[in-house]
Amino acid sequence: MDTQRPKGLAGLIENGALLTGFAIFAIFLLAPAFYVFKGSFENLSVSLVSSDGGWTLSNYVNIFSSGYYVYVINSLIVCITATFLACTISLFAAYGLSRFRFRGRGLVFGSIMGGQFFPWIILVNPIFILFARGGMINSQIGLILCYTAFITPFTIYLLVGYLTTIPKSLDEAAIVDGASRLTVVTKIILPIMWPGMVAAATFGFLQSWSEYLLALALITDDSMKTIPLGLYQYFGDVNVDWGAVMAGSVVATVPTLLLFLPLQKKLVSGLTSGATK
Amino acid sequence: MKLSPLARERFTIFMMLFPTFLILVGFYLYPTLYNLELSFTDITLLKLRQGGDPVGLANYTEFLTSSSFFDIAINTVFWLTAISVVCRIILGLGFALLLNSNFLKRMHMTTLARLILLVPWATPPVVAVIAWRWLFDPTHGPINSWLLATGLISDPVAFTANLTTVWPSIVTIIVWNTTPLIGVSLLAALQTVPSDLLEASEIDGANRWQSFRFITLPYLMPTISVLTLMSVIWTFNNFVYVWLTTGAGPGTYTNVLATEVYLKAFVDLRLGYSAAIGVTMAIVMAAFGALYFRFFGLSDMQDKVG
């Protein structure tokens, strides 16, 4: 398309317009995060109308001394356990789905595709009732099971995509040598598809880390709350403790930013594969 | 007893897929059917243990004929879904085209742009809402300070409480949080447009708009269709943006189907009635799902299964 490059004044104007457009986009995309980051280091008490200009760590000190670390620990426990469970389950399911032909395979795969788009808002009522009857409200195990179920369809989908790129001859050779299927999966397949597992785990962790609805319905005990619920503790009926909210938001977002960076490309190809092929 | 190789392989398949089967049945199929059953009862949070009595279609007729139904439907379909999906596709396409321009490519902006897109994309929705509530805040918020300082307004605007600004505000939050996925996907799709076709069209005298309309856009259409349908399904059912921005308010002004399900179940404690709303949503979404598969057949799935 280089031949279309306009020359002279028109070109200058066009390049200026392109840069301006880029700058507007950049400001729109970055400003909210920038203001939260900035605000988290400012002294914004509830009564104060404007900040005093200096920067301070007091918001962070305040939230962690008032128990924010409990939410962080709860989130870590729930999300890491659910991610581990989902990835283990998905590894075997993806292997089974990609290596064997059996009756009902299409149905299982179709359900997994559908599960990715399943509206959890309509599962909240039945799961709440079942959990309430089973004494699973305010239970981390209950939340872990829900999150495992919530992320499994996409992790299976990602891993099936990954497994189809690994030649079947590899595991068949091992089977001929007398290895069991379990050995094949853990000793041969897992080391090869480690990048795929990392992508699936990152995705699962991110999904559960920002989940709000199920946590809202299933957790009422403050000592059990996860970060998304904990953040909204600072929104009072009249006043908002903005300093605390913003420091808490930064703490909630830093891990997702760090995890997202290497995942970005994989997610795009995973989500829209088939369309872009 | 020694199993035959075939039986052993069957057993292996069964064991490998059994946990997934349990999840699909226990957390998807059974709750969905149970929700359907609940929707025909008058179960409330207060008589959770003894269960509700069957009421037939009463929950459905009450919901579909209620005075708030029309408002909720318009809010969900028009504001929450249609407007926000159209805005994010257009903005995402705009940004992708901008980044794909020769000038910005020569300035090596793509890497920078990917980093910029990462920020809203990686921000959890709960935090995205907080960030914008802070920007929109009438007493401390940067937007109001800026508008007041430039003299564009003389009094602070409570963006998320004012009836004329509340929906655009919610849509802004959703668009901010979801546009990066669209932008990055379309930027990837733009790389598949063959440059020799674009050059040939230029030699043949096509102007830029014609090149875009008749060459670039057709190459992008499959991606745009997938992204649109995914976004529609995902946004239509979304609870957090509306709930955390306005709590369905002011009053019930921004109430959508998802928040209505939550309000009826956990504020009014009417679980059966709320279940009926959920079933209604599922039916509407099933129609969208059918649309998805009609557009793309099962080719994508078959590609994956191999």
Side-chain angles (χ1 to χ4, degrees):
Chain A
M1 241 170 93
D2 235 4
T3 44
Q4 274 191 352
R5 192 197 311 173
K7 304 281 186 295
L9 186 63
L12 270 179
I13 292 172
E14 185 189 314
N15 290 345
L18 287 170
L19 267 186
T20 313
F22 182 76
I24 291 170
F25 263 110
I27 291 170
F28 172 66
L29 295 172
L30 291 178
F34 168 75
Y35 274 107
V36 169
F37 188 74
K38 178 168 159 276
S40 76
F41 291 104
E42 281 171 344
N43 202 346
L44 293 155
S45 66
V46 177
S47 54
L48 222 60
V49 174
S50 63
S51 86
D52 56 11
W55 77 278
T56 166
L57 281 173
S58 64
N59 295 323
Y60 291 91
V61 174
N62 287 344
I63 59 167
F64 279 100
S65 59
S66 70
Y68 193 70
Y69 67 92
V70 176
Y71 308 135
V72 177
I73 292 170
N74 287 338
S75 270
L76 285 172
I77 293 173
V78 171
C79 298
I80 290 174
T81 318
T83 304
F84 178 77
L85 282 174
C87 285
T88 312
I89 292 168
S90 303
L91 172 65
F92 286 101
Y95 184 83
L97 283 169
S98 71
R99 290 304 194 258
F100 300 108
R101 297 276 173 277
F102 54 90
R103 242 188 311 160
R105 179 168 163 275
L107 183 68
V108 173
F109 203 80
S111 315
I112 288 161
M113 292 294 292
Q116 289 178 51
F117 297 106
F118 208 86
W120 279 78
I121 182 75
I122 75 159
L123 295 181
V124 163
N125 287 344
I127 286 179
F128 175 81
I129 294 174
L130 295 169
F131 275 28
R133 288 189 180 144
M136 298 265 272
I137 300 295
N138 286 321
S139 141
Q140 278 182 335
I141 294 172
L143 203 57
I144 287 168
L145 288 176
C146 282
Y147 285 1
T148 306
F150 167 56
I151 57 190
T152 300
F154 191 74
T155 50
I156 294 180
Y157 175 75
L158 263 184
L159 294 182
V160 168
Y162 210 90
L163 264 166
T164 47
T165 66
I166 300 174
K168 272 185 190 178
S169 52
L170 205 67
D171 29 321
E172 272 150 17
I175 297 284
V176 171
D177 287 348
S180 72
R181 286 285 175 185
L182 186 68
T183 319
V184 170
V185 173
T186 54
K187 295 272 159 63
I188 297 172
I189 297 295
L190 186 58
I192 299 176
M193 64 182 300
W194 198 241
M197 288 296 279
V198 171
T202 313
F203 168 82
F205 182 83
L206 290 172
Q207 282 294 297
S208 41
W209 185 259
S210 46
E211 204 286 331
Y212 178 79
L213 175 62
L214 286 164
L216 180 67
L218 299 177
I219 305 289
T220 52
D221 182 347
D222 197 49
S223 68
M224 290 286 166
K225 283 182 176 165
T226 52
I227 289 178
L229 294 182
L231 273 179
Y232 282 83
Q233 300 279 90
Y234 301 112
F235 284 82
D237 289 332
V238 186
N239 281 314
V240 181
D241 187 353
W242 280 113
V245 167
M246 288 195 270
S249 297
V250 172
V251 172
T253 312
V254 165
T256 67
L257 265 175
L258 294 179
L259 287 174
F260 230 93
L261 202 53
L263 189 69
Q264 197 189 26
K265 267 192 171 155
K266 269 204 185 65
L267 271 182
V268 173
S269 57
L271 285 170
T272 56
S273 66
T276 49
K277 246 177 229 161
Chain B
M1 193 185 79
K2 213 167 153 43
L3 291 167
S4 71
L6 185 69
R8 231 184 36 212
E9 181 154 297
R10 280 201 176 146
F11 182 70
T12 311
I13 298 171
F14 176 78
M15 287 308 287
M16 282 182 166
L17 287 168
F18 189 64
T20 304
F21 178 76
L22 278 186
I23 284 176
L24 288 175
V25 172
F27 282 89
Y28 290 88
L29 183 63
Y30 179 69
T32 305
L33 295 176
Y34 187 49
N35 192 56
L36 187 64
E37 189 194 324
L38 290 172
S39 74
F40 299 116
T41 71
D42 62 355
I43 187 168
T44 64
L45 207 54
L46 304 173
K47 48 178 189 176
L48 201 59
R49 285 194 181 273
Q50 66 265 44
D53 298 313
V55 293
L57 287 168
N59 289 327
Y60 291 91
T61 47
E62 185 187 338
F63 174 59
L64 296 174
T65 58
S66 68
S67 56
S68 55
F69 173 74
F70 188 70
D71 292 335
I72 293 173
I74 292 286
N75 283 342
T76 312
V77 173
F78 180 73
W79 280 110
L80 179 68
T81 311
I83 293 288
S84 87
V85 171
V86 167
C87 284
R88 87 185 75 154
I89 298 282
I90 291 174
L91 277 181
L93 181 63
F95 197 51
L97 287 172
L98 202 62
L99 291 174
N100 204 46
S101 69
N102 288 314
F103 177 64
L104 290 183
K105 265 202 256 179
R106 272 202 312 279
M107 307 243 319
H108 301 290
M109 286 295 193
T110 321
T111 316
L112 178 66
R114 279 184 186 281
L115 288 173
I116 291 173
L117 284 167
L118 190 73
V119 171
W121 194 1
T123 304
V126 284
V127 174
V129 171
I130 286 174
W132 281 95
R133 277 179 69 165
W134 169 246
L135 290 181
F136 287 143
D137 192 78
T139 47
H140 314 284
I143 293 181
N144 270 305
S145 319
W146 185 76
L147 288 174
L148 285 169
T150 54
L152 286 170
I153 51 170
S154 48
D155 294 304
V157 179
F159 288 100
T160 56
N162 187 313
L163 296 192
T164 51
T165 54
V166 62
W167 266 119
S169 302
I170 296 172
V171 169
T172 305
I173 302 175
I174 303 175
V175 166
W176 181 77
N177 208 192
T178 53
T179 298
L181 168 69
I182 312 285
V184 175
S185 305
L186 289 177
L187 189 59
L190 275 172
Q191 314 307 316
T192 67
V193 182
S195 53
D196 50 342
L197 258 183
L198 290 168
E199 278 159 24
S201 79
E202 200 206 341
I203 291 164
D204 289 348
N207 64 29
R208 285 180 186 212
W209 163 249
Q210 288 166 327
S211 301
F212 172 75
R213 171 68 188 79
F214 296 106
I215 298 170
T216 309
L217 202 57
Y219 270 93
L220 295 182
M221 262 340 267
T223 308
I224 292 178
S225 311
V226 174
L227 289 171
T228 304
L229 281 162
M230 263 174 33
S231 302
V232 164
I233 293 174
W234 181 80
T235 313
F236 180 87
N237 294 305
N238 190 279
F239 167 78
V240 285
Y241 293 113
V242 171
W243 181 252
L244 293 178
T245 310
T246 63
T252 54
Y253 187 77
T254 56
N255 206 5
V256 290
L257 285 167
T259 49
E260 179 72 352
V261 168
Y262 183 81
L263 283 169
K264 283 292 173 279
F266 295 98
V267 177
D268 294 355
L269 314 183
R270 297 180 63 193
L271 290 164
Y273 182 74
S274 162
I277 304 170
V279 172
T280 312
M281 288 174 78
I283 292 169
V284 176
M285 274 305 100
F288 273 113
L291 201 68
Y292 178 93
F293 286 113
R294 223 181 116 174
F295 262 113
F296 305 105
L298 297 173
S299 60
D300 182 31
M301 278 166 59
Q302 273 147 8
D303 275 0
K304 283 282 174 185
V305 196

